[in-house]
Amino acid sequence: MQALRSLFPFITPYRRKALLALFLLTSLVFMDLSIPRLIQRIIDQGIAQNDGGVVLQTSLIMLAISAISTFFAIGNNVLSVQVGEGVARDVREAIFLKIQSFSYGNLDHFTTGKLLVRLSSDSSAVQRLVQISLRIGTRAPLLMLGSLILMFATDTQLALTILPLLLLTAVVIVVFSLQMEPRYRVVQQKLDALNTVLQENIAGARLVKAFVRSEHEERRFGAVNQDFSDRTIRVTQYMSIMGPALTIFVNIGMVIVIWAGGLQAIQGNLTDGQIVAFTNYLLTTMGPLLMMTVLSNVWAAGIASAQRIDGVLATAPDVRNVADPQPLPTPLAGRVVFEHVTFAYAPADNGYGGGAEEAEEDENAGETVLDDINVVVEPGTRVAILGATGSGKSSLVNLIPRFYDVTGGRLLIDGIDVRQLDQEALRRRIAIVPQEALLFSGDVRDNIRYGQPQASEAEVVAAAQAAQAHDFILRLPQGYDTHVEERGVNLSGGQKQRLAIARALLMRPQILILDDSTSAVDVETETKIQAALDVWMAGRTTFVVAQRISTVLKADKILVIERGRLAAEGSHSELMRSSAIYREIYDSQLGGGPVRNGLPADGAASPGKAPAAATVPAAVMGGN
């Protein structure tokens, strides 16, 4: 019932059409119920008494009722479709908007495949639920109730004879309906798994080919596809039992009516017309019971989907604004302070509507990722964060724009706890270039000004030049008007990263976060980007997450993160003197060459390459 109540707000905007559809449906019920009585009149008052006028008059009335019923049925169908499609559209929009409100923690627990099923299959099931309910949902019970009343009005003794069979049939349908909803829910869960595998395979099709794993992926998809198919077949087989079973009840009822009614007719207690009318009312009662099997299937699927949709819509974002957020200082200085910051990803069983299913996928959630981090970053400082994969570098910078909330301690920007600030206002002053450069379908220009849609052409070009993207953009077929395919598949990894950097720079942020965002560009290009950042971000705070030691050499402050803890802090020269971990990282990448002016001297190997006798180009050395 909670799932059904959650649908009421989506039906409310269409209540007039829905009520009109139900009115037409109710009118159809009364007209349907009048037909057997008119047939009785034709037989008893017309045919039995050789009165052709009664036959003709009653026949014309039946034709008129049939014509009106046709128009009412058409109107009901049209309105039902409009309401059903409208509700489905609004449900999809509500799910989409809810996804936009999700914090990173919510998105960690709802996989892409599951959200796609909510938006497509589940919303379609809700659409069918609303549409079928408006078409036969009221008609079936009203026909049963009206036919039962008229059966008693026609002959009480015969109605009492057939009543136990009707009650038994109703009980069978109720039991059947209660069994269907959990079965449909399992089918939808299997569809989740199928869509997840499908989405991953399509997104990683190039990787699959590169590693020659097509056969493995075929087996993986085949397994979940077969599982989904088997579950669907089981549900369909279970559904198929009901039709023949109820047909048996209908036939038994017909035999009882003809036998018992025939005995009464022989005794003169029942007319031929009454028997025919009673038989029609029995069919009118049993017919809706057969309809109820179809309706129960739709309702079972719709309720299961409504529950899953409600699981998304009822999920509160992990990160929410306080009731009265504090305004950001203007201008924002960009002073960032981590005070005893501890962070752990939330476990999956905290209200995401997936329970054990998501918990299995996120078994490592809840472990401490960052432990007691204390750092002060002054305005205008470039801070580099260095550490092994999985040490917590990205988690640390994701706390700054409040993608996640700290588990313990505080994170302050210009002296204000980020939890007291408005999320959107905060993020408008911060730009981030993530590890994976995501581009959208559209042209190059629109991708660069994604965060600043009103930016001028000159501003777009300036940002592209700073990101070292302008030259390769001009070499594209249509320059800045070149179409970017889905996820930027027609661009190289380095090109996508540079466009992502240009997109961030165009926002002119007070705080810039580069999360290993130059890993796909060569060292010379990276050096040029760093030189441009010196100008572009002058007086502004920059955080650079890096794997390559060359990326961090010129930073004002370097943070070395090891297993979630701050292992070392200082400039390059300070850390070379005081931190064994930093020296180890430096030696492993630059071959332990001599240091001059805080930079590797000629003869040191380029980052990511083995030590060599050749000298490093001056561009790599920062122009010394």
Side-chain angles (χ1 to χ4, degrees), residues 6-19 82-83 86-87 89-91:
S6 69
L7 295 179
F8 290 160
F10 297 103
I11 300 175
T12 301
Y14 309 98
R15 59 183 178 275
R16 291 184 180 177
K17 289 184 177 181
L19 291 173
Q82 290 178 350
V83 174
V87 169
R89 180 194 62 223
D90 293 348
V91 166

Side-chain angles (χ1 to χ4, degrees), residues 146-224:
S147 297
L148 190 61
I149 292 172
L150 290 173
M151 284 166 63
F152 275 94
T154 302
D155 188 85
T156 303
Q157 183 178 347
L158 192 57
L160 290 173
T161 303
I162 202 70
L163 186 59
L165 180 66
L166 296 176
L167 293 176
L168 177 61
T169 306
V171 169
V172 170
I173 291 176
V174 169
V175 172
F176 169 78
S177 301
L178 292 176
Q179 292 292 319
M180 287 305 299
E181 188 274 325
R183 293 171 186 264
Y184 271 111
R185 192 188 315 141
V186 172
V187 168
Q188 291 298 91
Q189 289 172 352
K190 298 301 178 183
L191 183 59
D192 278 349
L194 179 67
N195 275 271
T196 297
V197 173
L198 182 62
Q199 186 267 336
E200 289 176 350
N201 191 266
I202 292 174
R206 290 167 176 79
L207 189 65
V208 173
K209 290 183 179 296
F211 283 85
V212 197
R213 295 287 284 171
S214 296
E215 291 185 4
H216 167 75
E217 292 299 329
E218 287 174 8
R219 290 193 298 270
R220 183 175 171 229
F221 180 79
V224 294

Side-chain angles (χ1 to χ4, degrees), residues 300-445:
I303 290 173
S305 293
Q307 288 176 333
R308 289 152 53 80
I309 289 171
D310 188 52
V312 175
L313 298 180
T315 298
D318 286 344
V319 177
R320 284 170 283 181
N321 285 334
V322 295
D324 188 19
Q326 295 185 38
L328 275 170
T330 303
L332 186 69
R335 188 175 190 266
V336 180
V337 179
F338 295 83
E339 288 185 355
H340 302 287
V341 166
T342 301
F343 175 69
Y345 290 99
D349 57 348
N350 58 350
Y352 293 99
E357 187 179 358
E358 275 81 3
E360 292 175 1
E361 297 170 359
D362 198 19
E363 58 185 9
N364 294 323
E367 296 182 2
T368 300
V369 178
L370 298 171
D371 186 15
D372 196 29
I373 302 294
N374 289 280
V375 175
V376 177
V377 177
E378 297 298 339
T381 303
R382 179 185 293 186
V383 178
I385 304 173
L386 196 65
T389 301
S391 59
K393 304 184 301 296
S394 295
S395 299
L396 183 68
V397 294
N398 281 336
L399 298 176
I400 299 171
R402 206 187 166 203
F403 292 150
Y404 299 91
D405 272 337
V406 298
T407 307
R410 295 194 306 168
L411 195 158
L412 309 175
I413 294 182
D414 284 7
I416 305 173
D417 191 324
V418 292
R419 290 171 292 191
Q420 303 301 316
L421 297 170
D422 179 77
Q423 294 180 62
E424 291 190 2
L426 173 65
R427 291 168 189 168
R428 287 194 185 100
R429 315 287 277 277
I430 300 174
I432 185 167
V433 183
Q435 289 177 325
E436 182 181 357
L438 177 64
L439 301 180
F440 294 92
S441 299
D443 58 41
V444 170
R445 181 184 294 100

